[in-house]
């Protein structure tokens, strides 16, 4: 007689292995985040040193006349009078700070647009936002020079950029934002704004045309403390706004569907980021003119340095370094100086723009 063996049901394995694997993955993620944080700190420190060096070069190069070197720093802080005050505090410091602050605004605007549209070509100067800001500011500069005092020029630039955002967004919509269509529409509307600005030149007097021509190229030569104040306040507001949209930006980087699943209202968030970037570009444009290609290069440089998640935070610093470095070279480089800052940034940025287009075309073909 055979005895039936009773088979006890197998008990599920203890989760110790899964727990260990989860802990290992969590530890790796923490180590990776610490490494990224350390890299960000190092990159920020290097960029800060470069920025301070560029600012010092901007103030000192070209000679300081009969001003003693020991008086340069006090004069830069507004603690001297006479020649030192005029040369350092009234002329060179506004130019230096305008270059730094405008570069930071351009860099922030470009990184926001590239992040939200997920296209390295979609920056305010490429998709027509800077052209709209320039057209608005040129309207005031050429037709109502008296209104340029105070907030006249910045207000006109912001209004022009917001109008351009609305038009580009509307014409690019095809059951959602078509990024390729957005770039093409923006380039086309940039041409419309250029034609409009050229028409304004036929209506203005010679003195207004001379001022507007240099401004449209992009230059810090006419910077003053009023412009510095405008840029500083604008940068503070834009950085605060960027902090408010940090979470939606991170969610939308994963894709619209996943961002919606995480609770992000994608359409309002996208419009808010587009307006924020447009405002940043418009404020910088209103003071120093449409300095080209800074928005285009700052975001990708920041992304290569610190990675995509932190690029928006580092891009303003990159933009500031690019503009102050370009301004120093534009005023002191042999054979070419002095030239407007926008000329040099265009010479440096245009080849990068062509390379981006060719790379994307090769990717589409392959």
């Amino acid at each position: 007689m055979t005895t039936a063996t009773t088979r006890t049901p197998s008990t599920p394995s203890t989760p110790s292995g899964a727990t260990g694997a989860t802990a290992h993955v969590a530890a790796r993620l923490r180590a990776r985040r610490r490494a990224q944080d350390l890299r960000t700190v190092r990159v920020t420190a290097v960029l800060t040193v470069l920025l301070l060096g560029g600012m010092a070069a901007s103030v000192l190069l070209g000679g300081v006349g009969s001003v003693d070197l020991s008086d340069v720093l006090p004069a830069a802080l507004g603690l001297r009078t006479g020649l030192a005050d005029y040369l350092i505090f009234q002329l060179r410091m506004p130019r230096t700070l305008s270059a730094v602050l405008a570069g930071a605004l351009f860099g922030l605007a470009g990184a926001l647009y590239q992040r939200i549209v997920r296209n390295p070509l979609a920056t305010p100067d490429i998709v027509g936002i800077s052209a709209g800001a320039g057209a608005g500011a040129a309207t005031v500069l050429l037709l109502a020079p008296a209104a340029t005092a105070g907030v006249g020029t910045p207000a006109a630039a912001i209004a022009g950029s917001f109008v351009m955002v609305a038009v580009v967004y509307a014409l690019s919509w095809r059951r959602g934002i078509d990024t390729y269509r957005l770039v093409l529409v923006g380039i086309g509307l940039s041409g419309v704004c250029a034609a409009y600005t050229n028409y304004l030149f036929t209506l203005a007097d010679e003195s207004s045309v001379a001022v507007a021509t240099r401004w449209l190229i992009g230059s810090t030569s006419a910077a003053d403390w009023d412009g510095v104040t405008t840029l500083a306040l604008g940068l503070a507001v834009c950085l605060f706004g960027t902090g408010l949209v940090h979470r939606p930006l991170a969610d939308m980087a994963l894709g619209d569907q996943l961002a919606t699943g995480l609770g992000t209202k994608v359409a309002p968030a996208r419009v808010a980021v587009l307006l924020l970037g447009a405002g940043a570009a418009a404020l910088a444009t209103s003071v120093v003119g449409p300095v080209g290609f800074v928005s285009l290069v700052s975001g990708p440089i920041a992304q290569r340095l610190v990675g995509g998640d932190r690029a928006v935070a580092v891009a303003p610093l990159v933009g500031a370094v690019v503009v102050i470095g370009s301004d120093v070279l534009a005023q002191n480089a042999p054979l070419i100086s002095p030239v407007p800052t926008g000329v040099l940034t265009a010479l440096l940025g245009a080849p990068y723009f062509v390379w981006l287009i060719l790379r994307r075309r090769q990717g589409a073909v392959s």
Side-chain angles (χ1 to χ4, degrees):
M1 179 176 181
T2 59
T3 303
T5 58
T6 303
R7 178 175 298 180
T8 58
S10 60
T11 58
S13 60
T14 59
S16 58
T19 303
T22 303
H24 178 67
V25 171
R28 290 183 60 183
L29 290 176
R30 286 194 297 269
R32 182 178 179 182
R33 181 170 293 276
R34 285 195 297 268
Q36 290 177 335
D37 291 341
L38 181 59
R39 181 180 178 87
T40 301
V41 170
R42 290 174 176 173
V43 168
T44 301
V46 172
L47 290 174
T48 301
V49 170
L50 292 175
L51 181 62
L52 293 175
M55 293 174 66
S58 177
V59 172
L60 295 175
L61 289 182
V64 291
S66 57
V67 178
D68 293 334
L69 290 179
S70 60
D71 289 334
V72 171
L73 182 59
L77 299 176
L79 302 177
R80 290 291 185 270
T81 59
L83 179 62
D85 173 76
Y86 175 75
L87 185 62
I88 304 298
F89 189 74
Q90 301 298 334
L91 292 182
R92 297 195 177 180
M93 283 303 297
R95 177 171 191 148
T96 299
L97 293 176
S98 294
V100 171
L101 295 170
L105 284 166
F106 280 129
L108 176 63
L112 286 173
Y113 269 61
Q114 289 166 334
R115 183 79 168 173
I116 197 68
V117 183
R118 297 193 295 273
N119 187 329
L121 297 176
T123 58
D125 48 353
I126 301 300
V127 301
I129 308 304
S130 295
T139 301
V140 175
L141 288 170
L142 293 171
L143 299 185
T148 57
V151 297
T153 304
I158 291 174
S161 67
F162 282 6
V163 169
M164 189 60 65
V165 167
V167 176
V168 171
Y169 193 86
L171 294 179
S172 304
W173 184 267
R174 184 185 292 174
R175 297 178 182 177
I177 286 292
D178 184 332
T179 59
Y180 184 71
R181 186 183 181 92
L182 183 142
V183 172
L184 292 181
V185 168
I187 292 174
L189 290 176
S190 295
V192 174
C193 291
Y196 168 74
T197 304
N198 290 335
Y199 172 70
L200 292 180
F201 273 86
T202 65
L203 306 177
D205 57 79
E206 292 184 2
S207 59
S208 298
V209 168
V211 173
T213 299
R214 189 168 186 82
W215 177 84
L216 285 170
I217 297 174
S219 175
T220 60
S221 61
D224 55 23
W225 284 107
D226 289 338
V228 171
T229 302
T230 299
L231 292 173
L233 292 176
L235 180 60
V237 172
C238 291
L239 289 176
F240 177 75
T242 302
L244 294 179
V245 299
H246 172 73
R247 177 64 181 274
L249 271 177
D251 291 344
M252 287 187 288
L254 304 174
D256 290 355
Q257 292 183 349
L258 187 54
T260 302
L262 293 173
T264 297
K265 296 180 179 179
V266 173
R270 178 174 284 116
V271 172
V273 174
L274 290 176
L275 291 177
L276 180 62
L283 284 169
T285 301
S286 69
V287 176
V288 301
V291 180
F293 297 103
V294 179
S295 297
L296 181 70
V297 302
S298 298
I301 291 175
Q303 186 169 359
R304 285 182 175 273
L305 290 175
V306 298
D309 293 340
R310 294 168 170 79
V312 174
V314 176
L317 195 54
V318 174
V321 171
V322 169
V323 175
I324 191 66
S326 298
D327 191 57
V328 170
L329 290 176
Q331 300 311 307
N332 300 283
L335 303 178
I336 64 171
S337 64
V339 295
T341 309
V343 172
L344 199 59
T345 59
L347 289 175
L348 298 175
Y352 176 75
F353 177 60
V354 173
W355 175 77
L356 268 182
I357 294 177
L358 293 177
R359 190 183 69 169
R360 290 182 65 83
R361 183 178 179 183
Q362 291 172 356
V365 172
S366 59

mmCIF file of all heavy atoms in Angstrom, residues 116-118 165 168-183 256 270 274:
data_model
loop_
_atom_site.group_PDB
_atom_site.id
_atom_site.type_symbol
_atom_site.label_atom_id
_atom_site.label_comp_id
_atom_site.label_asym_id
_atom_site.label_seq_id
_atom_site.Cartn_x
_atom_site.Cartn_y
_atom_site.Cartn_z
ATOM 1 N N ILE A 116 11.202 73.506 -23.848
ATOM 2 C CA ILE A 116 9.765 73.319 -23.961
ATOM 3 C C ILE A 116 9.367 72.776 -25.335
ATOM 4 O O ILE A 116 8.420 72.001 -25.477
ATOM 5 C CB ILE A 116 9.024 74.646 -23.675
ATOM 6 C CG1 ILE A 116 7.550 74.383 -23.389
ATOM 7 C CG2 ILE A 116 9.151 75.608 -24.826
ATOM 8 C CD1 ILE A 116 7.289 73.666 -22.113
ATOM 9 N N VAL A 117 10.106 73.157 -26.373
ATOM 10 C CA VAL A 117 9.783 72.716 -27.732
ATOM 11 C C VAL A 117 10.554 71.449 -28.098
ATOM 12 O O VAL A 117 10.186 70.748 -29.041
ATOM 13 C CB VAL A 117 10.069 73.849 -28.750
ATOM 14 C CG1 VAL A 117 9.671 73.445 -30.155
ATOM 15 C CG2 VAL A 117 9.316 75.122 -28.359
ATOM 16 N N ARG A 118 11.614 71.157 -27.340
ATOM 17 C CA ARG A 118 12.467 69.985 -27.592
ATOM 18 C C ARG A 118 13.065 70.023 -28.996
ATOM 19 O O ARG A 118 13.042 69.055 -29.737
ATOM 20 C CB ARG A 118 11.685 68.684 -27.356
ATOM 21 C CG ARG A 118 11.225 68.504 -25.940
ATOM 22 C CD ARG A 118 10.732 67.085 -25.666
ATOM 23 N NE ARG A 118 9.537 66.760 -26.419
ATOM 24 C CZ ARG A 118 8.304 67.033 -26.001
ATOM 25 N NH1 ARG A 118 8.114 67.660 -24.866
ATOM 26 N NH2 ARG A 118 7.262 66.684 -26.727
ATOM 27 N N VAL A 165 4.716 85.790 -30.270
ATOM 28 C CA VAL A 165 4.434 84.490 -29.668
ATOM 29 C C VAL A 165 3.040 84.012 -30.073
ATOM 30 O O VAL A 165 2.845 82.849 -30.459
ATOM 31 C CB VAL A 165 4.549 84.563 -28.129
ATOM 32 C CG1 VAL A 165 3.946 83.315 -27.490
ATOM 33 C CG2 VAL A 165 6.004 84.683 -27.719
ATOM 34 N N VAL A 168 3.036 83.110 -33.937
ATOM 35 C CA VAL A 168 3.796 81.892 -34.224
ATOM 36 C C VAL A 168 3.089 80.668 -33.646
ATOM 37 O O VAL A 168 2.992 79.619 -34.299
ATOM 38 C CB VAL A 168 5.231 82.013 -33.656
ATOM 39 C CG1 VAL A 168 5.963 80.680 -33.752
ATOM 40 C CG2 VAL A 168 6.015 83.078 -34.405
ATOM 41 N N TYR A 169 2.590 80.787 -32.441
ATOM 42 C CA TYR A 169 1.902 79.667 -31.801
ATOM 43 C C TYR A 169 0.658 79.278 -32.597
ATOM 44 O O TYR A 169 0.388 78.085 -32.819
ATOM 45 C CB TYR A 169 1.514 80.057 -30.372
ATOM 46 C CG TYR A 169 1.084 78.894 -29.504
ATOM 47 C CD1 TYR A 169 2.024 78.139 -28.816
ATOM 48 C CD2 TYR A 169 -0.256 78.555 -29.362
ATOM 49 C CE1 TYR A 169 1.646 77.084 -28.004
ATOM 50 C CE2 TYR A 169 -0.645 77.496 -28.555
ATOM 51 C CZ TYR A 169 0.308 76.768 -27.879
ATOM 52 O OH TYR A 169 -0.073 75.712 -27.094
ATOM 53 N N ALA A 170 -0.098 80.283 -33.035
ATOM 54 C CA ALA A 170 -1.328 79.995 -33.786
ATOM 55 C C ALA A 170 -1.024 79.338 -35.130
ATOM 56 O O ALA A 170 -1.686 78.368 -35.532
ATOM 57 C CB ALA A 170 -2.120 81.283 -33.987
ATOM 58 N N LEU A 171 -0.041 79.853 -35.838
ATOM 59 C CA LEU A 171 0.273 79.322 -37.162
ATOM 60 C C LEU A 171 0.995 77.973 -37.093
ATOM 61 O O LEU A 171 1.024 77.247 -38.089
ATOM 62 C CB LEU A 171 1.134 80.325 -37.936
ATOM 63 C CG LEU A 171 0.451 81.656 -38.285
ATOM 64 C CD1 LEU A 171 1.414 82.570 -39.029
ATOM 65 C CD2 LEU A 171 -0.807 81.417 -39.124
ATOM 66 N N SER A 172 1.588 77.660 -35.951
ATOM 67 C CA SER A 172 2.318 76.390 -35.826
ATOM 68 C C SER A 172 1.446 75.274 -35.270
ATOM 69 O O SER A 172 1.882 74.126 -35.217
ATOM 70 C CB SER A 172 3.536 76.573 -34.899
ATOM 71 O OG SER A 172 4.374 77.597 -35.356
ATOM 72 N N TRP A 173 0.237 75.599 -34.857
ATOM 73 C CA TRP A 173 -0.614 74.603 -34.208
ATOM 74 C C TRP A 173 -1.203 73.657 -35.251
ATOM 75 O O TRP A 173 -1.797 74.070 -36.229
ATOM 76 C CB TRP A 173 -1.743 75.293 -33.451
ATOM 77 C CG TRP A 173 -2.597 74.327 -32.682
ATOM 78 C CD1 TRP A 173 -3.731 73.726 -33.103
ATOM 79 C CD2 TRP A 173 -2.357 73.833 -31.366
ATOM 80 N NE1 TRP A 173 -4.227 72.892 -32.139
ATOM 81 C CE2 TRP A 173 -3.399 72.941 -31.056
ATOM 82 C CE3 TRP A 173 -1.370 74.068 -30.415
ATOM 83 C CZ2 TRP A 173 -3.476 72.287 -29.829
ATOM 84 C CZ3 TRP A 173 -1.446 73.421 -29.211
ATOM 85 C CH2 TRP A 173 -2.487 72.543 -28.922
ATOM 86 N N ARG A 174 -0.994 72.376 -35.025
ATOM 87 C CA ARG A 174 -1.590 71.344 -35.876
ATOM 88 C C ARG A 174 -1.859 70.141 -34.982
ATOM 89 O O ARG A 174 -1.077 69.197 -34.919
ATOM 90 C CB ARG A 174 -0.651 70.967 -37.019
ATOM 91 C CG ARG A 174 -1.253 69.966 -37.993
ATOM 92 C CD ARG A 174 -0.243 69.528 -39.051
ATOM 93 N NE ARG A 174 0.112 70.589 -39.960
ATOM 94 C CZ ARG A 174 1.046 70.498 -40.896
ATOM 95 N NH1 ARG A 174 1.740 69.373 -41.005
ATOM 96 N NH2 ARG A 174 1.303 71.514 -41.692
ATOM 97 N N ARG A 175 -2.987 70.215 -34.264
ATOM 98 C CA ARG A 175 -3.298 69.217 -33.236
ATOM 99 C C ARG A 175 -2.152 69.115 -32.245
ATOM 100 O O ARG A 175 -1.750 68.037 -31.813
ATOM 101 C CB ARG A 175 -3.583 67.853 -33.866
ATOM 102 C CG ARG A 175 -4.791 67.828 -34.784
ATOM 103 C CD ARG A 175 -4.979 66.451 -35.399
ATOM 104 N NE ARG A 175 -6.120 66.438 -36.317
ATOM 105 C CZ ARG A 175 -6.472 65.372 -37.036
ATOM 106 N NH1 ARG A 175 -5.775 64.247 -36.942
ATOM 107 N NH2 ARG A 175 -7.507 65.435 -37.848
ATOM 108 N N GLY A 176 -1.600 70.246 -31.900
ATOM 109 C CA GLY A 176 -0.423 70.327 -31.050
ATOM 110 C C GLY A 176 0.648 71.142 -31.753
ATOM 111 O O GLY A 176 0.497 71.540 -32.915
ATOM 112 N N ILE A 177 1.725 71.428 -31.038
ATOM 113 C CA ILE A 177 2.803 72.218 -31.611
ATOM 114 C C ILE A 177 3.667 71.342 -32.518
ATOM 115 O O ILE A 177 4.234 70.345 -32.078
ATOM 116 C CB ILE A 177 3.661 72.861 -30.514
ATOM 117 C CG1 ILE A 177 2.921 74.023 -29.875
ATOM 118 C CG2 ILE A 177 4.973 73.357 -31.073
ATOM 119 C CD1 ILE A 177 2.721 75.202 -30.798
ATOM 120 N N ASP A 178 3.725 71.716 -33.781
ATOM 121 C CA ASP A 178 4.622 71.069 -34.737
ATOM 122 C C ASP A 178 5.934 71.849 -34.701
ATOM 123 O O ASP A 178 6.003 72.987 -35.182
ATOM 124 C CB ASP A 178 3.995 71.089 -36.136
ATOM 125 C CG ASP A 178 4.830 70.336 -37.162
ATOM 126 O OD1 ASP A 178 6.057 70.248 -36.994
ATOM 127 O OD2 ASP A 178 4.245 69.835 -38.141
ATOM 128 N N THR A 179 6.995 71.269 -34.120
ATOM 129 C CA THR A 179 8.227 72.021 -33.908
ATOM 130 C C THR A 179 8.885 72.441 -35.223
ATOM 131 O O THR A 179 9.414 73.551 -35.329
ATOM 132 C CB THR A 179 9.214 71.190 -33.084
ATOM 133 O OG1 THR A 179 9.500 69.957 -33.757
ATOM 134 C CG2 THR A 179 8.634 70.872 -31.719
ATOM 135 N N TYR A 180 8.857 71.559 -36.215
ATOM 136 C CA TYR A 180 9.451 71.918 -37.504
ATOM 137 C C TYR A 180 8.684 73.083 -38.128
ATOM 138 O O TYR A 180 9.275 74.026 -38.661
ATOM 139 C CB TYR A 180 9.443 70.700 -38.430
ATOM 140 C CG TYR A 180 10.128 70.923 -39.755
ATOM 141 C CD1 TYR A 180 11.510 71.051 -39.825
ATOM 142 C CD2 TYR A 180 9.395 70.999 -40.939
ATOM 143 C CE1 TYR A 180 12.149 71.251 -41.031
ATOM 144 C CE2 TYR A 180 10.023 71.198 -42.156
ATOM 145 C CZ TYR A 180 11.408 71.322 -42.193
ATOM 146 O OH TYR A 180 12.028 71.531 -43.393
ATOM 147 N N ARG A 181 7.364 73.012 -38.048
ATOM 148 C CA ARG A 181 6.533 74.091 -38.578
ATOM 149 C C ARG A 181 6.779 75.389 -37.787
ATOM 150 O O ARG A 181 6.800 76.487 -38.369
ATOM 151 C CB ARG A 181 5.062 73.680 -38.483
ATOM 152 C CG ARG A 181 4.070 74.638 -39.125
ATOM 153 C CD ARG A 181 2.647 74.136 -38.882
ATOM 154 N NE ARG A 181 1.651 74.978 -39.487
ATOM 155 C CZ ARG A 181 1.162 74.805 -40.711
ATOM 156 N NH1 ARG A 181 1.592 73.797 -41.447
ATOM 157 N NH2 ARG A 181 0.247 75.625 -41.197
ATOM 158 N N LEU A 182 6.973 75.266 -36.476
ATOM 159 C CA LEU A 182 7.225 76.448 -35.653
ATOM 160 C C LEU A 182 8.485 77.172 -36.102
ATOM 161 O O LEU A 182 8.512 78.407 -36.197
ATOM 162 C CB LEU A 182 7.325 76.026 -34.191
ATOM 163 C CG LEU A 182 7.517 77.127 -33.152
ATOM 164 C CD1 LEU A 182 6.725 76.815 -31.893
ATOM 165 C CD2 LEU A 182 9.001 77.280 -32.783
ATOM 166 N N VAL A 183 9.545 76.410 -36.374
ATOM 167 C CA VAL A 183 10.798 77.026 -36.814
ATOM 168 C C VAL A 183 10.608 77.718 -38.158
ATOM 169 O O VAL A 183 11.042 78.872 -38.357
ATOM 170 C CB VAL A 183 11.913 75.973 -36.885
ATOM 171 C CG1 VAL A 183 13.167 76.562 -37.526
ATOM 172 C CG2 VAL A 183 12.236 75.446 -35.494
ATOM 173 N N ASP A 256 4.366 64.921 -23.581
ATOM 174 C CA ASP A 256 3.111 65.540 -23.173
ATOM 175 C C ASP A 256 2.169 64.546 -22.492
ATOM 176 O O ASP A 256 1.514 64.884 -21.498
ATOM 177 C CB ASP A 256 2.417 66.162 -24.387
ATOM 178 C CG ASP A 256 3.154 67.401 -24.894
ATOM 179 O OD1 ASP A 256 4.140 67.809 -24.239
ATOM 180 O OD2 ASP A 256 2.749 67.953 -25.933
ATOM 181 N N ARG A 270 2.864 75.323 -21.242
ATOM 182 C CA ARG A 270 3.666 75.639 -22.419
ATOM 183 C C ARG A 270 3.528 77.119 -22.784
ATOM 184 O O ARG A 270 4.520 77.790 -23.097
ATOM 185 C CB ARG A 270 3.259 74.757 -23.598
ATOM 186 C CG ARG A 270 4.032 75.079 -24.877
ATOM 187 C CD ARG A 270 3.738 74.114 -25.992
ATOM 188 N NE ARG A 270 4.425 72.844 -25.786
ATOM 189 C CZ ARG A 270 3.830 71.697 -25.596
ATOM 190 N NH1 ARG A 270 2.519 71.638 -25.568
ATOM 191 N NH2 ARG A 270 4.533 70.598 -25.423
ATOM 192 N N LEU A 274 6.536 79.872 -22.872
ATOM 193 C CA LEU A 274 6.798 80.640 -24.094
ATOM 194 C C LEU A 274 6.769 82.141 -23.807
ATOM 195 O O LEU A 274 7.627 82.893 -24.288
ATOM 196 C CB LEU A 274 5.767 80.287 -25.165
ATOM 197 C CG LEU A 274 5.875 78.888 -25.784
ATOM 198 C CD1 LEU A 274 4.724 78.639 -26.750
ATOM 199 C CD2 LEU A 274 7.211 78.705 -26.501
#
